[in-house]
Amino acid sequence: MQPCLPLDGLRVVELSTFVATPLGGMTLAQLGADVIRVDPLGGASDVHRWPLAPGGDSLYWAGLNKGKRSIAVDLSSPRGREIVTALATAPGQEGGVFVTNAVKRTWLEDETLRARRPDLIRVGLLGLPDGGAAVDYTVNAALGYPMVSGPTDLDVPVNHVLPAWDVAAGLHVALAVVAAERHRHRTGAGASVTISLWNVALAVAAHLGITANVELGGADRVRDGNYLYGSFGVDFATRDGRRVMVVALTARQWSELVRVCDVGDAVEVLGKALGADFTAEGDRYLHRELLGALLRPWFAARSSEEVARTLAGTGVLWSPYRSFTELVTDPDAPLTANPMMSVLEQPGIGSYAMPGSPLRFGAEHPPARAAPRLGEHGEEILSEVLQLSTTEIGRLHDSGVLG
């Protein structure tokens, strides 16, 4: 039996591409919302994005559209646009929620849609606050992070490979829907919420004190390799050529690390010579290279397995570095051992482990659900939401409006 989920009954119409907005819709779908993804005929520009399954289907697209229903229509035709507008503004207490990252389409703007449903909730994601185009990589470049990423001896920017701002923006999209829907439930009023990728990224940088530090006269951040800024975090090589990341955020974690590596006397002498208090994480950061040099011989003399066995019984934070392949094939921590993960059949691709929601309600994660095939639910959606007849739906097929 399908469990009752927090957003059961809520209907969200999503017209989107790439990462952020589809991730927002998927987040809502995993919590029970009926998310209807609308695509143009043949799919939007993200339908074939890498990585691809052996048969050529996009694992990326399938991953970001789990649990949704799909309809594909001719968005260039008046009838196709009317269908999307009607779906977004369809009556009913649980409907009237529209999320999109489409820009410069007057027929999708808030005023146009609100004329048909005054209590509409519209969440729109932009690149830049003024509506200009931007993606994660361009936002990150302008924000400053590539200038402090990578080895210390580089003098060129280093882009990250995780689309962090897309992910953060997508979660803001989901949050905006939940907040606006609660507001509508309490007041009866709809909402137009606009989010920009740039503002999400800038807000995070400001939350972490990066902009304020510069404003208040602090030194600019420098490239620092794998050290953890502001605390003690260092990567060490082991005897068998592997590497581990070791972090000691608290005084207790630091004392445990010093004890395990048997460098207490050396650390005490170093602290006295420098006038440093290594129970304070700021001092550990300032003298990270000297402290790292004291600890490296212990790691270099031991295999990665020996390091794992020893650190496992301590409060020290640590992890081996491993590849994506090692993550998936680790026999000691298989993906399916995580209760969030389920092996499901994805149409057109095959069976593999998929995540449900990371949120756990009581003892259970909302379960994973596969993504639809493009346009799979078109007839079902038009019949159920717009109450079109079989004959009317047939005409849409015949005219090429419905995929």
Side-chain angles (χ1 to χ4, degrees), residues 52-335:
L52 304 179
D57 281 16
S58 171
L59 294 169
Y60 167 102
W61 195 94
L64 289 174
N65 291 289
K66 292 188 296 294
K68 300 177 186 177
R69 294 198 286 174
S70 171
I71 181 171
V73 299
D74 180 6
L75 298 180
S76 66
S77 71
R79 185 65 177 115
R81 294 179 179 184
E82 168 58 27
I83 287 173
V84 178
T85 301
L87 288 173
T89 61
Q93 183 178 359
E94 302 283 14
V97 181
F98 180 61
V99 297
T100 187
N101 63 343
V103 296
K104 298 179 181 178
R105 298 187 182 187
T106 55
W107 60 281
L108 292 176
E109 293 301 323
D110 183 70
E111 289 185 5
T112 305
L113 297 176
R114 196 168 301 283
R116 296 179 58 152
R117 178 160 180 164
D119 68 344
L120 177 78
I121 293 171
R122 184 188 186 279
V123 178
L125 179 69
L126 306 174
L128 301 177
D130 64 1
V135 294
D136 191 287
Y137 264 54
T138 60
V139 166
N140 197 56
L143 201 65
Y145 278 100
M147 306 306 294
V148 297
S149 299
T152 57
D153 58 353
L154 282 184
D155 60 358
V156 294
V158 176
N159 288 330
H160 61 186
V161 296
L162 170 71
W165 309 125
D166 277 335
V167 172
L171 296 177
H172 275 77
V173 167
L175 177 62
V177 169
V178 173
E181 204 274 332
R182 174 167 169 77
H183 174 73
R184 185 172 71 179
H185 177 74
R186 296 176 65 189
T187 67
S192 176
V193 185
T194 302
I195 306 166
S196 78
L197 193 64
W198 169 258
N199 278 350
V200 168
L202 179 60
V204 171
H207 292 329
L208 298 178
I210 292 172
T211 56
N213 181 58
V214 175
E215 288 184 274
L216 299 176
D220 200 359
R221 286 273 290 274
V222 296
R223 184 172 280 121
D224 210 12
N226 284 338
Y227 287 111
L228 172 62
Y229 176 75
S231 191
F232 186 80
V234 184
D235 70 310
F236 295 103
T238 59
R239 189 182 67 211
D240 52 355
R242 302 299 298 268
R243 300 193 78 86
V244 294
M245 184 67 193
V246 179
V247 176
L249 292 174
T250 68
R252 178 179 173 275
Q253 291 166 354
W254 171 249
S255 66
E256 281 281 274
L257 181 59
V258 169
R259 178 188 64 78
V260 165
C261 296
D262 195 22
V263 291
D265 291 343
V267 168
E268 184 177 356
V269 169
L270 181 63
K272 288 180 180 179
L274 298 172
D277 176 11
F278 293 135
T279 63
E281 63 176 342
D283 279 7
R284 294 197 294 276
Y285 176 70
L286 291 174
H287 304 292
R288 58 198 177 279
E289 294 182 357
L290 293 173
L291 293 173
L294 291 178
L295 295 167
R296 277 195 184 89
W298 186 90
F299 290 90
R302 289 162 176 80
S303 69
S304 55
E305 289 186 0
E306 291 175 294
V307 169
R309 284 196 302 269
T310 305
L311 294 184
T314 71
V316 179
L317 305 171
W318 71 279
S319 178
Y321 285 88
R322 55 187 181 181
S323 67
F324 292 133
T325 297
E326 290 171 321
L327 167 66
V328 173
T329 61
D330 184 353
D332 296 322
L335 293 181

